[in-house]
C-alpha cells in the first residue's frame, strides 16, 4: 500500500540476509558487533533484523542513545532551573521520561511546570521571542549531529540580541567513549557499526583511530535495513580476511571530511570539556561546554539549589551501555523496570537497549505468548 | 440574543449570563423538544427494541481546532463511535463544556456549530447539556464531556470474546490521519494531505449490518492507535494477531510526518476508522460493501487472527522487509524522537 | 539518536528554506548547509539541513541492492 524508500526493499533484505548466512558459515568464531548509535538500535529492532541474522553474528548496543547517557544530576539541574520560577524549559521529546533523582520532566510538566516539547532548537528561539519576560532554557543533549543545530540557534540568538535564550549544556561527542570501549580488555567487541548521522558532521575519518590504534573494523552505516545488513556483510568479509578497515557504506550522505560549515559553528560556540556519562563515568574531552564568551547563555551558571543525586539502585545500565551484558541479564529487567516505569535511562527511549529488548526481543525467548 | 465576546466566570455560574449563553448559543444550535424543555433532565421518547448501550467520554485536544475537525465534532463523533463499536445504533447524546475564562465567544460558537453539524450527520439528538467555567490559566480554553445512549438491535453480538482464529482484521480507511495531523500542527509541519479523519461511523458500519456481515468485534483505534487497540483485543481474546505492514493503508503525508518527527504511525490515533474482526470467509464481501461507501474507499484487510503460539507476541507485524516485529502497547504518550 | 530524514528543498532565501516530503513541508534553517540548492534532496535534522543526498552514490547503492534482490528472485 505504501511507497517506501528503496533501501528497505524486502527482496534486497532477504537477498542480503541469505548472503550473510552463507558468509557467516565460514567464520571461525562468533562476531560481536557494537552499534554505537541509538538510531541503529531503534532501526534494528523496528525492522526485526536480529531475527534475520545467523547465530554467529551478535549485535550489541553501545553508548549512543543520548538520553541514556545523560547523568541523573544533569536532569536534577534541569528541574531545579524550572523551580526558579523565571524559566521555561524546552526540550526534545526524547528526554521527557528520563528518571532524575526524584521526578521526570513529564511528571513536573503534569504538575504545571512549564516544559515545552520542541522539534527544533530554532523553535526555542521563537518561544524566546514570544515570551520576553521568561528565560527560555533549551536542554542541550545529543551528539555531533545535534550539537551544531543548537550552536546555530545560539549564533542566531547572539546576532539578533535575543537575550532570554539559554541552554543547559549537555551535548557529548562520540569518539572518546568509543576509544574507552575499544581499549577495555573486558569488553569483547570485534567491530563497530559506526553512527551514520554523526559521521555526516564529523566525516568518516574521525573514526580511523579504531582501525589504526585498536585494530578494529568500523563501518559507517545508514539506518535502512539494507544499510545495516550491508555493513554486517562488510564486517564479516573483513573478519574472514583478518582485516581492520574503516569503510564508509553510507556514501550518499557521508564524506571523509564531514560538514565543514557545521564543524566551524560548533567550534565557535563550544569547547571540548570533560563530561560524565551515565554508566561510564567521567570521560575527558567528551563533552561540549559553552565558550566563556557565551557565559551569559549558560543556564548552568544560574543559581539553583541542587538535591543530592540518587542513582537508581540496582540498575546495570553501565554494563548494558558497554555491551558487557544483554538487558535481560539485569535482575530488574521486566520487573520492576518497564518502559512505562523505567528504573534506569536505558529503558526510556525506544533507542535505549533495555527498551528495545523489552519491546522487540523479549517474546522470542519466552515459553508462551502470555 | 447575542454571542458574548469573551467567556466570563459568571457564564458558568447558573445566573443570568448562563441563561444568555444557553439561549444565545446552545438552543439555536441544538433545537429539539427534549432539550428545549430546559428541565433538569431530558425525558426521551420510547426507544426501539433491543438492548440499551451507554457510554461517556471526556475530550481534550491541543490545538482545539485543526484541519478536518475541532473539539466540537471530535466529542460528538467520539461518543457516536463508541456506541457503534458495540453494535449499537446511536440515538441520544448529552454534551457538557468546561470553558476557560477569557475564551472568545466566537470560538465557542464555532465548536458548538461543528458539534451541531456532527450530530446532524450522525443522525443523533443532543438532549442535555451543561456549561461550567474555570478561572483563566486553569484550563486549556475548552474541554468537552459527552455521554450517549443507543440501542443494540436483536441479533448483533459484538465482543472480543467472539474473535476466533481464522478471523480477518479489516481497517475501514487509512491509519493515523488524526494523530499525525495534530502532531504536524504542533511542530510546524503542513501539507494539503493532512487532515483529521474524524467522522461518525454509524452509517458505514450500518451498511455492513445491512449486508448480513457477522461482525465478531469492532474497535475504533483512537488513543494508542492500531497497535494498542489490537493489543487490548488480543489480550481479551487470548489469540495472536498478525498484521501486515504492506497492507495497512497510510496516506503519504501521514507517513512523511511520522518519518520527520520520529513517530510510529501504528501508535497514532484515528477518529473515524474502525478495526473490524470478522470471519475470514466474509472478508471479501465486507470489503466490497465498505469500498462502495465514500467513507470506506480505502478499507483493507490488514491482518489475520491465529491461535496463540509460544515465542510470539500477541500482536506482531510482518515488516516491509519480511521480518516479524512484536507490537507492544503504547507506553505513555507518543513523543517526537529527534536527538 | 539523530533522526535525520531526506527532504526536498522547494525554495530558499539567505539563511532558511522550505523543504518537503510527500507534500508535507516545513521551514528549516540552512545555516549548517549554506550551499543547498533548490530542487536538491537534503538531509534534515531537528529543523536544520545538515547534508545533501549524493544522487550518484545513492544510485550505485541501489544498483548493488538490486543485485542482491535479483539473486533472491533466482533462488
Ligand atoms: S533493565 Fe532497567 S534497571 Fe536494568 S539496566 Fe536496563 S534500565 Fe537499568
Amino acid at each position: 500500500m505504501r511507497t517506501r524508500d528503496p533501501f528497505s526493499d524486502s527482496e534486497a533484505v532477504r537477498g542480503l540476509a541469505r548472503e550473510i548466512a552463507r558468509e557467516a558459515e565460514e567464520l571461525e568464531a562468533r562476531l560481536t558487533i557494537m552499534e554505537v548509535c541509538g538510531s541503529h538500535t531503534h532501526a534494528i529492532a523496528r525492522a526485526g533484523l536480529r531475527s534475520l541474522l545467523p547465530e554467529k553474528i551478535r549485535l550489541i548496543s553501545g553508548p549512543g542513545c543520548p538520553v541514556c547517557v545523560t547523568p541523573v544530576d544533569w536532569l536534577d539541574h534541569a528541574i531545579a532551573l524550572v523551580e526558579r520560577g523565571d524559566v521555561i524549559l524546552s526540550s526534545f521529546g526524547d528526554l521527557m521520561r528520563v528518571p532524575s533523582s526524584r521526578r521526570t520532566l513529564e511528571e513536573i510538566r503534569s504538575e504545571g511546570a512549564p516544559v515545552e516539547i520542541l522539534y527544533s532548537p530554532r523553535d526555542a528561539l521563537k518561544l524566546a521571542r514570544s515570551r520576553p519576560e521568561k528565560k527560555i532554557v533549551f536542554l542541550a543533549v545529543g551528539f555531533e549531529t545535534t550539537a551544531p543545530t543548537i550552536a546555530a540557534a545560539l549564533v542566531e540568538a547572539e546576532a539578533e540580541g535575543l537575550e532570554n535564550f539559554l541552554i543547559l549544556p549537555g551535548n557529548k561527542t562520540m569518539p572518546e567513549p568509543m576509544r574507552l570501549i575499544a581499549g577495555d580488555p573486558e569488553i569483547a567487541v570485534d567491530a563497530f557499526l559506526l553512527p551514520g548521522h554523526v559521521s555526516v558532521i564529523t566525516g568518516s575519518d574521525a573514526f580511523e583511530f579504531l582501525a589504526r590504534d585498536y585494530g578494529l573494523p568500523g563501518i559507517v552505516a545508514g539506518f535502512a535495513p539494507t544499510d545495516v545488513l550491508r555493513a554486517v556483510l562488510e564486517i564479516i568479509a573483513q573478519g574472514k580476511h583478518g582485516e581492520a578497515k574503516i569503510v564508509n557504506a553510507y556514501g550518499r550522505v557521508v564524506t571523509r571530511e564531514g560538514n565543514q560549515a557545521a564543524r566551524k559553528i560548533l567550534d565557535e560556540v563550544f569547547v571540548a570539556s570533560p563530561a560524565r556519562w551515565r554508566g561510564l563515568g567521567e570521560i575527558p574531552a567528551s563533552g561540549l561546554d559553552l565558550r566563556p564568551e557565551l557565559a551569559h547563555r549558560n543556564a548552568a551558571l544560574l543559581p539553583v539549589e541542587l538535591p543530592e543525586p540518587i542513582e537508581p539502585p540496582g540498575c546495570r545500565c553501565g554494563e548494558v551501555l558497554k555491551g558487557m551484558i544483554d538487558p535481560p541479564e539485569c535482575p530488574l529487567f521486566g520487573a520492576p523496570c518497564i518502559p512505562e516505569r523505567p528504573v534506569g535511562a536505558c529503558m526510556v527511549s525506544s533507542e535505549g537497549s533495555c527498551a528495545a529488548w523489552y519491546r522487540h526481543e523479549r517474546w522470542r525467548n519466552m515459553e508462551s505468548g502470555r | 440574543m447575542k454571542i458574548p465576546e469573551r467567556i466570563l466566570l459568571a457564564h458558568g455560574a447558573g445566573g443570568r449570563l448562563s441563561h444568555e449563553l444557553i439561549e444565545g448559543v446552545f438552543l439555536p444550535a441544538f433545537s429539539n423538544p427534549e432539550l428545549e424543555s430546559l428541565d433538569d433532565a431530558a425525558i426521551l421518547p420510547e426507544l426501539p427494541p433491543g438492548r440499551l448501550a451507554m457510554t461517556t467520554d471526556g475530550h481534550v485536544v491541543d490545538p482545539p481546532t485543526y484541519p478536518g475537525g475541532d473539539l466540537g465534532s471530535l466529542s460528538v463523533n467520539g461518543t457516536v463511535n463508541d456506541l457503534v463499536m458495540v453494535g449499537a445504533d446511536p440515538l441520544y447524546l448529552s454534551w457538557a463544556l468546561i470553558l476557560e475564562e477569557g475564551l472568545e465567544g466566537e470560538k465557542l460558537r464555532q465548536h458548538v456549530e461543528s458539534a451541531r453539524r456532527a450530530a446532524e450527520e450522525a443522525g443523533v439528538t443532543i438532549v442535555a447539556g451543561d456549561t461550567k467555567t474555570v478561572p483563566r490559566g486553569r484550563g486549556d480554553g475548552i474541554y468537552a464531556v459527552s455521554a450517549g445512549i443507543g440501542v443494540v438491535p436483536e441479533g448483533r453480538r459484538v465482543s472480543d470474546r467472539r474473535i476466533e482464529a481464522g478471523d480477518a482484521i479489516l481497517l475501514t480507511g487509512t491509519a493515523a490521519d488524526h494523530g499525525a495531523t495534530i502532531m504536524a500542527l504542533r511542530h510546524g509541519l503542513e501539507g494539503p494531505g493532512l487532515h483529521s479523519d474524524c467522522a461518525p461511523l454509524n452509517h458505514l458500519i450500518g451498511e455492513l449490518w445491512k449486508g448480513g456481515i457477522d461482525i465478531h468485534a469492532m474497535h475504533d483505534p483512537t488513543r494508542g492507535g492500531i497497535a494498542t487497540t489490537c493489543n487490548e483485543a488480543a489480550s481479551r481474546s487470548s489469540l495472536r494477531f498478525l498484521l501486515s505492514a504492506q497492507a495497512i493503508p497510510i496516506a503519504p503525508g501521514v507517513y512523511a510526518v511520522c518519518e520527520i518527527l520520529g513517530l510510529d504511525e501504528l501508535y497514532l490515533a484515528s477518529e473515524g476508522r474502525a478495526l473490524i474482526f470478522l470471519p475470514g470467509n466474509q472478508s471479501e464481501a465486507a470489503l466490497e460493501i465498505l469500498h462502495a461507501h465514500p467513507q470506506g474507499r480505502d478499507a483493507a484487510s490488514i491482518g489475520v487472527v491465529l491461535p496463540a503460539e509460544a515465542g510470539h507476541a500477541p500482536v506482531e507485524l510482518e515488516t516491509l522487509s519480511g521480518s516479524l516485529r512484536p507490537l507492544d502497547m503504547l507506553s505513555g504518550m507518543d513523543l517526537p524522537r529527534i536527538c | 539518536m539523530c533522526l535525520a530524514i531526506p527532504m526536498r528543498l522547494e525554495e530558499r532565501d539567505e539563511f532558511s528554506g522550505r523543504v518537503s516530503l510527500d507534500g508535507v513541508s516545513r521551514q528549516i534553517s540552512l545555516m549548517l548547509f549554506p550551499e543547498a540548492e533548490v530542487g536538491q534532496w537534503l538531509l534534515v535534522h531537528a529543523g536544520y539541513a545538515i547534508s545533501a543526498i549524493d544522487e550518484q552514490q545513492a544510485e550505485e547503492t541501489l544498483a548493488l541492492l538490486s543485485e542482491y534482490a535479483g539473486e533472491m528472485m533466482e533462488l
Side-chain angles (χ1 to χ4, degrees):
Chain A
M1 243 5 199
R2 292 181 260 202
T3 51
R4 180 61 192 262
D5 96 289
F7 298 99
S8 304
D9 178 71
S10 65
E11 300 297 339
V13 166
R14 269 174 260 188
L16 277 161
R18 191 175 280 261
E19 182 75 10
I20 288 172
R22 204 162 31 219
E23 293 291 309
E25 269 174 32
E26 295 167 38
L27 282 175
E28 275 157 28
R30 210 165 172 218
L31 258 185
T32 299
I33 304 172
M34 175 177 275
E35 86 265 0
V36 275
C37 170
S39 278
H40 276 140
T41 307
H42 182 81
I44 288 165
R46 220 188 130 149
L49 293 185
R50 269 203 183 78
S51 67
L52 298 177
L53 293 176
E55 267 295 295
K56 285 230 180 98
I57 304 296
R58 174 170 177 248
L59 291 180
I60 59 171
S61 311
C65 154
V67 308
C68 302
V69 296
T70 300
V72 160
D73 57 332
W74 189 87
L75 277 152
D76 292 343
H77 203 136
I79 290 172
L81 281 169
V82 82
E83 281 164 358
R84 281 169 51 99
D86 61 346
V87 163
I88 297 178
L89 291 182
S90 54
S91 170
F92 292 128
D94 312 50
L95 270 176
M96 294 300 289
R97 276 195 283 270
V98 184
S100 72
S101 290
R102 291 174 300 177
R103 283 167 309 164
T104 65
L105 292 171
E106 192 175 44
E107 280 162 351
I108 65 161
R109 185 170 183 247
S110 71
E111 291 159 16
V115 184
E116 298 286 333
I117 301 170
L118 302 180
Y119 162 71
S120 167
R122 246 192 147 196
D123 297 343
L125 295 180
K126 246 187 258 166
L127 190 61
R129 284 181 207 115
S130 70
R131 302 296 299 274
E133 79 288 2
K134 294 275 189 187
K135 293 181 172 47
I136 308 302
V137 175
F138 189 79
L139 298 179
V141 292
F143 296 107
E144 287 93 329
T145 325
T146 310
T149 69
I150 296 165
L154 285 161
V155 169
E156 210 175 324
E158 281 292 289
E160 191 182 321
L162 192 63
E163 296 293 324
N164 62 331
F165 174 71
L166 290 79
I167 69 163
L168 184 64
N171 290 105
K172 294 183 163 51
T173 51
M174 263 342 295
E176 297 76 15
M178 290 176 64
R179 196 176 272 283
L180 195 84
I181 287 169
D184 189 330
E186 261 188 75
I187 309 171
V189 173
D190 300 310
F192 283 101
L193 199 61
L194 298 172
H197 292 152
V198 162
S199 305
V200 167
I201 305 295
T202 63
S204 58
D205 278 356
F207 296 101
E208 280 296 335
F209 73 92
L210 288 169
R212 190 184 57 229
D213 301 349
Y214 301 97
L216 290 172
I219 317 298
V220 177
F223 300 90
T226 61
D227 288 328
V228 174
L229 294 179
R230 275 194 304 124
V232 170
L233 200 54
E234 168 67 29
I235 289 170
I236 296 174
Q238 290 197 27
K240 276 205 309 208
H241 301 118
E243 289 174 335
K245 286 185 297 195
I246 303 303
V247 174
N248 176 9
Y250 196 24
R252 57 187 191 273
V253 289
V254 174
T255 59
R256 293 188 62 170
E257 317 76 39
N259 178 335
Q260 298 301 330
R263 289 170 65 177
K264 188 161 160 280
I265 287 188
L266 212 48
D267 262 354
E268 277 167 32
V269 171
F270 293 116
V271 282
S273 68
R276 274 165 309 102
W277 295 60
R278 199 186 289 231
L280 302 178
E282 183 167 301
I283 305 176
S286 68
L288 295 173
D289 209 349
L290 277 174
R291 287 196 172 275
E293 308 90 271
L294 288 169
H296 56 289
R297 304 262 173 210
N298 190 347
L301 303 177
L302 298 174
V304 286
E305 268 186 52
L306 289 176
E308 196 55 39
I310 307 167
E311 294 286 341
C315 171
R316 296 178 67 182
C317 271
E319 288 153 275
V320 171
L321 289 175
K322 287 187 269 194
M324 291 166 70
I325 60 168
D326 280 337
E329 292 170 57
C330 168
L332 305 184
F333 179 86
C337 187
I338 56 173
E340 288 78 6
R341 280 182 298 280
V343 175
C346 300
M347 192 55 98
V348 177
S349 157
S350 57
E351 302 187 351
S353 337
C354 295
W357 268 88
Y358 187 81
R359 291 218 173 83
H360 300 290
E361 312 288 342
R362 74 179 196 275
W363 302 101
R364 286 213 282 147
N365 312 320
M366 272 195 185
E367 282 303 299
S368 143
R370 70 201 75 230
Chain B
M1 207 54 75
K2 69 176 186 46
I3 300 161
E5 196 173 315
R6 283 190 185 278
I7 296 301
L8 308 175
L9 273 181
H11 278 117
R16 182 173 305 129
L17 283 181
S18 296
H19 271 276
E20 280 185 18
L21 200 61
I22 293 169
E23 301 207 337
V25 178
F26 292 102
L27 285 184
F30 308 121
S31 60
N32 62 69
E34 290 78 20
L35 186 70
E36 272 156 25
S37 75
L38 290 184
D39 285 328
D40 287 343
I43 298 175
L44 305 177
E46 200 161 321
L47 301 175
R51 286 168 302 152
L52 198 60
M54 173 163 185
T55 186
T56 185
D57 225 345
H59 304 272
V60 292
V61 55
D62 170 30
T65 304
Y66 41 85
D70 60 16
L71 186 79
S73 54
L74 180 75
S75 54
V76 169
N77 288 329
T79 301
V80 164
N81 292 345
D82 282 348
L83 292 168
V84 175
M85 291 303 109
V86 298
D89 295 327
L91 297 169
Y92 298 103
L93 259 58
S94 75
W95 199 57
L97 293 177
I98 297 168
L99 308 174
E100 185 185 0
E101 179 187 19
L103 177 77
E104 287 165 44
E106 176 52 25
K107 287 238 172 83
L108 171 65
R109 198 197 56 78
Q110 286 168 10
H111 286 292
V112 172
E113 171 57 20
S114 49
R116 183 196 68 76
R117 250 185 290 127
E120 189 178 277
E121 194 188 336
V124 297
T125 314
I126 296 181
V127 293
D130 187 33
T131 310
K132 291 285 186 299
T133 46
V134 293
R136 192 190 273 271
R138 299 269 299 276
D140 235 352
I142 179 166
Y143 301 134
V145 180
S146 47
I149 59 174
V151 166
V152 185
E154 204 54 48
R156 292 185 194 168
R157 281 196 308 125
V158 180
S159 154
D160 286 344
R161 271 165 227 106
R162 291 196 64 211
I163 301 175
E164 47 191 66
D167 276 7
I169 307 172
L170 308 190
L171 180 65
T172 61
T174 49
D177 297 74
H178 178 80
T181 301
I182 298 283
M183 286 308 245
L185 214 56
R186 281 194 205 152
H187 295 286
L189 300 171
E190 50 193 18
L194 292 177
H195 46 81
S196 170
D197 53 285
C198 186
L201 286 164
N202 50 340
H203 303 309
L204 181 69
I205 302 302
E207 294 297 319
L208 292 177
W209 291 124
K210 264 188 252 160
I213 301 294
D214 181 22
I215 299 174
H216 283 169
M218 240 185 317
H219 291 282
D220 51 344
T222 53
R223 263 177 312 175
I226 295 175
T228 305
T229 307
C230 278
N231 265 285
E232 285 160 359
S235 72
R236 279 194 287 262
S237 63
S238 302
L239 291 161
R240 173 177 169 226
F241 299 171
L242 182 59
L243 307 183
S244 154
Q246 187 68 43
I248 298 172
I250 309 239
V254 167
Y255 190 65
V257 168
C258 291
E259 289 274 285
I260 296 163
L261 296 179
L263 299 168
D264 188 334
E265 59 274 10
L266 300 180
Y267 291 86
L268 291 179
S270 302
E271 290 292 343
R273 308 283 188 235
L275 273 171
I276 301 173
F277 299 81
L278 44 70
N281 59 14
Q282 293 190 12
S283 160
E284 286 296 315
L287 281 174
E288 209 167 293
I289 295 170
L290 291 170
H291 289 156
H293 191 278
Q295 266 179 285
R297 271 195 328 250
D298 296 323
S301 174
I302 64 162
V304 290
V305 179
L306 303 168
E309 198 180 323
H312 288 276
V315 183
E316 279 181 317
L317 179 76
E318 187 183 350
T319 67
L320 293 179
S321 359
S323 59
L324 288 184
R325 163 158 83 99
L327 287 182
D328 235 340
M329 298 239 189
L330 174 67
S331 34
M333 264 192 317
D334 206 8
L335 301 167
R337 187 184 60 82
I338 306 295
C339 71
Chain C
M1 77 185 150
C2 323
L3 178 82
I5 300 298
M7 297 179 81
R8 193 170 175 274
L9 186 62
E10 302 295 342
E11 57 193 30
R12 65 163 295 168
D13 54 30
E14 199 179 347
F15 297 116
S16 61
R18 195 169 56 81
V19 288
S20 80
L21 175 66
D22 289 346
V24 175
S25 67
R26 197 186 197 281
Q27 274 309 118
I28 60 158
S29 166
L30 299 174
M31 226 162 127
L32 302 177
F33 196 69
E35 63 268 42
E37 286 167 28
V38 169
Q40 220 175 7
W41 282 87
L42 304 177
L43 191 65
V44 177
H45 171 64
Y48 290 79
I50 56 170
S51 173
I53 314 294
D54 183 326
E55 303 278 344
Q56 196 194 328
Q57 289 271 357
E59 254 148 50
E60 279 170 27
T61 306
L62 287 177
L64 190 74
L65 289 182
S66 68
E67 274 173 40
Y68 286 112
E71 182 203 7
M72 188 64 206
M73 303 296 251
E74 285 158 26
L75 289 166

